[in-house]
Every structure is written in structure tokens, then in C-alpha cells.
Amino acid sequence: MRLNFTYDGQFYSAFSLEDALAAEVPVLVLAGAAAEHFQQGIDAAVARARARNATRIDGQDSMYLLKANEAERYIAAGSPMDASDFVLLKAEAEALQITPQEQAARVIAARDTWLSVAARIEAARIGGKASLVGQATVEAVAAAGELVIAELDAI
């Protein structure tokens, strides 16, 4: 692991732990640098977990929100046979050769599944980053960070 840190007013880039310790950089400074390193690793693991569980196309997240909103409005309106006011729902139902009611149910089920996964990812991200704070050694930071990254990689 290469660490970036500021010590005694000077910025050091891509230092090995061994070189930094040999230069007598305080362990707490190095633990902070390791925490930053693992925070980036956690963010990368979050991106991988999201990519495994949702379509990664520019704008697709907005499309998911629009579709879920429209499906909720459709159901709240009593699931009318004429779905003309619900253009996304109607278009998808026609493309799939199913009823608007069936497509609304599919969209809501997909949204609920994603919310469950998203909650697990966010809990791991937020809790994982918090677990890095206050660790007294690079080894403790690395152990905490690696645990969180493995958890995210399993989602």
C-alpha cells in the first residue's frame, strides 16, 4: 500500500509504510493516510456492488425513479385500463405484451428489491468509513477496511 500524507507541513506522495516509518513519521499520521486509502477502496467497492445490482447506463437511475413514480401513481389511480396518462408504464407493458397492471407490479417489485440491496450497500459504506476513524495503527485501519470491502464485494 502506498500512502499519501502531510507531515510537518510537507506533502508526501506514494510512500511505502516501511519508508514512512523509517523516516519517523508518527503512526497516527500514517493511520490517517491509510484511512483515506481505504475510504477510496470502500467507494470503489460500493461502485462494484451497485453495478452488480443495477443497470449502469447514464441516466438509468433517473429512469428507475421515473418508472417507480409512475407505477405508484398508476396504482393510486386505481390501475385504470386506459393507461394513456402513464406513458412509460404503457409503453413497457406493450413492449412486453403484458397488462399495465402487471408491469406496474414488476416495476414496484424491482424497486423494492433494489431498495433492500441499496440499504445494505449504504449501511456498509457509511458504517465501514466510520470504522476507520480513530484506529490507532495502519494495521487496524487495514483490517477494518479490508473487512468492509469484502462485505461490499459479497453484495
Side-chain angles (χ1 to χ4, degrees):
M1 161 181 20
R2 295 284 180 182
L3 301 174
N4 300 322
F5 56 90
T6 300
Y7 176 62
D8 267 349
Q10 176 138 1
F11 179 73
Y12 297 87
S13 179
F15 254 62
S16 71
L17 178 59
E18 296 77 23
D19 289 344
L21 288 171
E24 299 182 359
V25 177
V27 172
L28 284 179
V29 170
L30 299 176
E36 289 180 21
H37 172 83
F38 277 98
Q39 285 175 356
Q40 292 171 2
I42 289 169
D43 288 341
V46 164
R48 291 189 303 272
R50 287 178 180 155
R52 282 190 301 276
N53 289 282
T55 303
R56 301 305 311 156
I57 300 171
D58 286 343
Q60 191 62 39
D61 51 349
S62 297
M63 188 58 64
Y64 287 153
L65 293 172
L66 288 169
K67 288 168 47 170
N69 179 273
E70 193 171 87
E72 286 176 342
R73 288 188 304 106
Y74 176 78
I75 292 167
S79 303
M81 289 306 296
D82 179 8
S84 300
D85 291 339
F86 308 94
V87 293
L88 291 172
L89 186 65
K90 183 175 187 262
E92 286 188 350
E94 289 172 355
L96 295 169
Q97 298 179 351
I98 60 177
T99 68
Q101 294 90 344
E102 291 171 314
Q103 181 57 11
R106 291 179 75 231
V107 167
I108 296 300
R111 188 240 6 233
D112 291 348
T113 298
W114 167 243
L115 283 175
S116 174
V117 171
R120 289 176 53 209
I121 292 169
E122 280 300 287
R125 181 184 73 81
I126 291 168
K129 286 185 174 186
S131 75
L132 302 176
V133 175
Q135 297 291 347
T137 67
V138 172
E139 294 80 12
V141 170
E146 288 168 359
L147 184 66
V148 175
I149 290 168
E151 178 184 354
L152 286 162
D153 284 343
I155 296 176

